[in-house]
Amino acid sequence: MSTKQDDHSPWPEGYDRVVLDSVDSTMAEAMRRAPDIQRPTWIMAKTQTAARGRRGRKWVVPEGNLNATLIFRPEATPAEAAKRSFLAANALYQALAIYISADKLSLKWPNDVLLSGGKVAGILLESSGQGPFVDWLSIGIGVNLRHTPEGVEDASFAPISLANAGGEDVSPKDFLSTVADAYATQEAKLLRLGFDRIRDDWMSNAARLGEVITARTGREDVTGIFDSIDRDGNLVLITGTGPRAIPAADVFF
Amino acid sequence: MGNKTSHDSDVSFIAALAELLRDNDLTELQVKRDYGENDSLNVRVSRQTQTIVQASAPAAAAPAAAPSAPAMPAAAPASDTTDPANHPGAVTSPMVGTVYMAAEPGAAPFATVGATVAEGDTILIIEAMKTMNHIPAPRAGTIKRILVEDGGPVEFGAPLVIIE
């Protein structure tokens, strides 16, 4: 392992960066700043006092791990905005693959990056708007860089950190540059090549493709063969009663 | 039918189709959505010609969000029944996904029947692909009806709440 210094990584053009010592959560901060941002802006905090995951789930953030949120105004309908889940997952996968062997990384629908099968990161998106376009979209990314969170109970995928898995040591600020750069590339790719290309990239790194997995929606568990993701980003499972396209669920395997 | 909201939502749906058409270099795209009995949206978008929108009366039943959930908007000046989608105060869904009435399980709901809301207040969240899309009140008013259930699925164009 080697130790890198901050601020040696390139920062993507057209994006602003705000680094805070402490904040309740970068998602909440992004929502507060949404009316005033001029350009896509990454907000990073060294510590968060009220971090949260999907549906209010606890997200533990020891210092030395990354907490950051990108806030911007894509010209996108809510359904198009939601596809950014895959862009974010691809970007995070590529950023992590710089610091550890990509053989250890895989993706779980829609935006979980797994390291040696464990949860190394979390991505959460929020948007607002009735249409046609969203008013804003925020993409929150938490990455266990140096520390594996303790006291995480009932986690379906055990927490793991980049450091514990044998990855290179990287500071949160440096890692933010890496992931911001990778994300900007994903946006450029979406613009030039369309979502199909984003989807192909995602599928090529997906865990359990062609195998049986379970998607837990608010109402039911759907078990089937993981066939693909469709052009809308839905998870497609081949079940006993035919294919099912699922827009929102937690995936287990 | 004077239903600005569902009209707008149909328009944005068609705009999204047109974008899809362009992005994927297709020449024609036809989508039929069955929202309920006597209520469907039939859209054909083709390039270098024009957009054709027509409503028809399909036989098939729709996978509605919930048994209590009503039918959804038709694009044409058709029905004028008690369908809440045709209510001028209806707020419709801009996307397919799962509805959440509160920020997290156990938290107070964003909106309750009888509550007053200001324009821009979040009235519920629709999730797709781990993206929580806040649905803002398009205008100030009182929540008269809530037409979806917490945790239930919702289709594009489905009426969510009625604000008067």
Side-chain angles (χ1 to χ4, degrees):
Chain A
M1 297 217 300
S2 63
T3 301
K4 290 186 69 181
Q5 295 303 308
D6 278 357
D7 280 337
H8 288 179
S9 306
W11 185 256
E13 201 172 317
Y15 288 75
D16 286 336
R17 174 173 57 180
V18 175
V19 179
L20 305 169
D21 280 334
S22 178
V23 72
D24 48 355
S25 87
T26 55
M27 291 302 273
E29 180 69 14
M31 205 188 286
R32 287 190 291 268
R33 289 177 182 240
D36 302 319
I37 57 151
Q38 302 298 317
R39 306 199 302 170
T41 302
W42 281 96
I43 299 166
M44 177 188 139
K46 290 173 184 166
T47 61
Q48 292 187 114
T49 56
R52 60 200 161 96
R54 179 173 173 270
R55 303 296 298 142
R57 282 173 200 155
K58 191 177 171 191
W59 183 257
V60 180
V61 283
E63 200 166 340
N65 290 351
L66 177 74
N67 321 290
T69 295
L70 172 65
I71 174 99
F72 64 123
R73 302 179 204 282
E75 287 194 352
T77 62
E80 293 291 330
K83 290 180 182 172
R84 264 63 181 192
S85 247
F86 301 98
L87 280 72
N90 285 344
L92 184 52
Y93 179 99
Q94 286 160 11
L96 283 166
I98 291 173
Y99 302 99
I100 196 160
S101 165
D103 294 346
K104 293 184 175 180
L105 300 169
S106 62
L107 298 174
K108 178 170 84 76
W109 187 90
N111 63 18
D112 274 320
V113 180
L114 301 179
L115 172 53
S116 301
K119 191 168 174 64
V120 68
I123 298 176
L124 179 67
L125 294 84
E126 285 189 66
S127 63
S128 181
Q130 172 63 19
F133 294 153
V134 296
D135 299 329
W136 51 262
L137 172 68
S138 60
I139 303 175
I141 298 182
V143 186
N144 302 329
L145 295 175
R146 289 175 168 158
H147 308 286
T148 303
E150 291 174 7
V152 179
E153 293 168 10
D154 299 329
S156 309
F157 293 84
I160 190 171
S161 70
L162 183 63
N164 289 146
E168 299 282 329
D169 183 61
V170 56
S171 73
K173 208 169 168 184
D174 243 6
F175 192 82
L176 177 65
S177 298
T178 311
V179 78
D181 204 37
Y183 186 81
T185 302
Q186 287 287 308
E187 281 287 342
K189 211 167 189 175
L190 179 69
L191 188 68
R192 289 176 196 146
L193 304 171
F195 181 67
D196 281 1
R197 183 62 181 274
I198 302 291
R199 182 179 64 160
D200 290 348
D201 286 356
W202 190 95
M203 296 244 301
S204 68
N205 296 320
R208 306 292 173 114
L209 200 61
E211 297 178 36
V212 174
I213 62 172
T214 297
R216 181 168 297 161
T217 72
R219 293 288 169 84
E220 57 176 340
D221 281 7
V222 182
T223 298
I225 296 168
F226 177 16
D227 178 72
S228 60
I229 56 175
D230 68 17
R231 289 188 151 184
D232 294 323
N234 297 308
L235 175 68
V236 180
L237 299 186
I238 308 297
T239 72
T241 55
R244 287 275 304 269
I246 299 164
D250 280 323
V251 169
F252 298 93
F253 44 73
Chain B
M1 67 188 153
N3 184 343
K4 187 172 181 299
T5 306
S6 72
H7 174 73
D8 285 351
S9 137
D10 286 335
V11 167
S12 79
F13 174 58
I14 293 161
L17 288 180
E19 192 179 324
L20 196 68
L21 192 77
R22 211 170 43 244
D23 288 350
N24 294 289
D25 208 29
L26 304 171
T27 53
E28 189 173 320
L29 195 63
Q30 183 153 9
V31 179
K32 184 179 173 201
R33 304 187 86 112
D34 289 338
Y35 294 128
E37 282 187 22
N38 303 320
D39 192 349
S40 77
L41 176 66
N42 208 338
V43 185
R44 183 160 62 88
V45 195
S46 57
R47 294 171 98 191
Q48 283 147 354
T49 52
Q50 68 215 69
T51 303
I52 299 162
V53 180
Q54 61 190 75
S56 63
S68 61
M72 292 152 213
S79 54
D80 48 359
T81 56
T82 53
D83 183 349
N86 292 336
H87 193 286
V91 179
T92 57
S93 178
M95 66 199 292
V96 176
T98 298
V99 171
Y100 297 114
M101 299 305 299
E104 57 191 75
F110 294 112
T112 52
V113 172
T116 52
V117 291
E119 181 181 343
D121 282 358
T122 295
I123 48 180
L124 50 82
I125 286 174
I126 300 175
E127 176 190 15
M129 283 131 237
K130 301 275 159 95
T131 304
M132 303 291 167
N133 185 50
H134 295 238
I135 305 297
R139 68 195 83 86
T142 302
I143 306 279
K144 292 294 186 186
R145 289 179 69 184
I146 295 176
L147 303 161
V148 288
E149 289 177 24
D150 188 52
V154 67
E155 291 293 321
F156 184 93
L160 302 168
V161 301
I162 290 176
I163 299 176
E164 285 185 328

